[in-house]
Amino acid sequence: MKVLITGSDGQLGKALIQFKPKDTQIYAMNRSNFDMLDIPSCLKIIKSINPDWIINCGAYTNVDLAEKEKELCYAINTSAPITFAKILNDYGGNLLQISTDYVFDGQKNYAY
């Protein structure tokens, strides 16, 4: 199985890579090789890898600046994952979107 992990230099990305199943090929993507603001470049990489899964750990995480940098935050946390989902829908594969309690507190009894 091929898994593309965005945000691979972050805490969660590193943990996923460290504890990956033996039969899984990981494509570790970080800011330097997978700029989530450069959607055409990301799509080219996704198409070339053709992953079974994208685990999106990449995110705009500066909560204090998010209100001031709304467009940047939206592009990374919303537009990029939507685009990933669309390309996976067209070419096959699945998206696992990771969030935090800053967005979803986990208190609902049903899917967000």
Side-chain angles (χ1 to χ4, degrees):
M1 176 175 10
K2 295 187 286 185
V3 178
L4 184 151
I5 297 177
T6 67
S8 65
D9 286 344
Q11 185 177 3
L12 180 59
K14 286 179 182 178
L16 289 171
I17 292 166
Q18 180 181 356
F19 296 105
K20 75 170 185 71
K22 291 182 182 183
D23 62 341
T24 302
Q25 186 174 1
I26 297 292
Y27 295 85
M29 299 293 139
N30 56 42
R31 288 182 192 156
S32 66
N33 64 7
F34 196 81
D35 180 356
M36 292 174 65
L37 295 173
D38 184 355
I39 295 298
S41 175
C42 290
L43 294 179
K44 184 177 178 181
I45 292 168
I46 292 168
K47 287 178 185 178
S48 72
I49 294 171
N50 194 23
D52 298 297
W53 284 89
I54 293 177
I55 301 177
N56 186 26
C57 302
Y60 181 100
T61 58
N62 190 329
V63 176
D64 295 329
L65 277 178
E67 289 295 321
K68 293 178 182 173
E69 297 183 339
K70 290 179 183 178
E71 290 178 18
L72 179 61
C73 182
Y74 188 87
I76 294 170
N77 293 350
T78 305
S79 297
I82 287 171
T83 304
F84 301 161
K86 286 179 180 177
I87 194 78
L88 290 169
N89 188 54
D90 291 343
Y91 290 92
N94 301 285
L95 173 68
L96 177 60
Q97 176 65 36
I98 307 295
S99 186
T100 70
D101 63 352
Y102 283 107
V103 179
F104 302 112
D105 63 11
Q107 298 300 311
K108 293 187 178 184
N109 309 11
Y110 52 89
Y112 287 88

